[in-house]
Amino acid sequence: MGQSFTPSQASLNFIELFENVFPSLSAAVLEVSVHSGSVSGPTLGVSLPSAVSADGQVSFYFPSLVPLIPGSLSYIQVTVPAGTSLIGSSGGPLSSYPLGDEILLGQPQTGNDLWFAEGTVPEPSTFILTVTALAAMIVLGSRRAFRRIT
């Protein structure tokens, strides 16, 4: 199962899909891989595993940026490392995305698409993390000092 898409950015580090867990399955662990050329073409990147226990939006994060060619078809493939195939993605004829198609059993499903989003999540810089931590310590410290005075 997968989706072809035409990226506008030169890289991504997350993909979101709407996944369906069938009633007989209490949870599943999924991964997403990104390919060039076809859904079985060269792998550009593989996400970290994500646990899915109910129907809904699932975020898949990649350990590093996945390089893409803007304007050229790329492919998302959903894999189930745990060995079960009782999982699905929401989409269909009402999910129209004009720059790609849903892929089922290796074949494009023209006019059908998975519900997906892709992009980059900026990593916080060390400076931002340091400033945030210092601000939190100052606020907590001033609250304790205020409590002692009152």
Side-chain angles (χ1 to χ4, degrees):
M1 176 175 52
Q3 173 75 39
S4 61
F5 70 104
T6 305
S8 60
Q9 304 287 326
S11 62
L12 66 77
N13 65 359
F14 85 92
I15 290 176
E16 291 179 332
L17 293 167
F18 194 96
E19 297 294 339
N20 305 111
V21 177
F22 292 88
S24 61
L25 194 65
S26 60
V29 175
L30 304 177
E31 291 178 347
V32 171
S33 54
V34 178
H35 301 267
S36 65
S38 73
V39 75
S40 59
T43 302
L44 303 174
V46 177
S47 74
L48 300 170
S50 288
V52 181
S53 59
D55 292 354
Q57 189 172 320
V58 181
S59 297
F60 298 91
Y61 296 96
F62 293 79
S64 60
L65 288 174
V66 176
L68 302 171
I69 300 172
S72 180
L73 272 180
S74 293
Y75 298 82
I76 299 167
Q77 181 180 29
V78 180
T79 56
V80 186
T84 180
S85 60
L86 299 173
I87 200 84
S89 282
S90 289
L94 298 178
S95 300
S96 61
Y97 169 70
L99 303 174
D101 295 306
E102 178 182 14
I103 310 287
L104 278 178
L105 302 173
Q107 299 300 312
Q109 306 298 305
T110 305
N112 284 350
D113 294 289
L114 300 182
W115 184 99
F116 76 99
E118 45 84 19
T120 54
V121 176
E123 293 184 32
S125 69
T126 303
F127 175 75
I128 300 266
L129 289 174
T130 303
V131 168
T132 303
L134 287 173
M137 290 185 336
I138 290 169
V139 168
L140 290 174
S142 64
R143 283 186 181 172
R144 288 184 185 149
F146 181 72
R147 283 189 211 151
R148 288 184 198 145
I149 294 172
T150 56

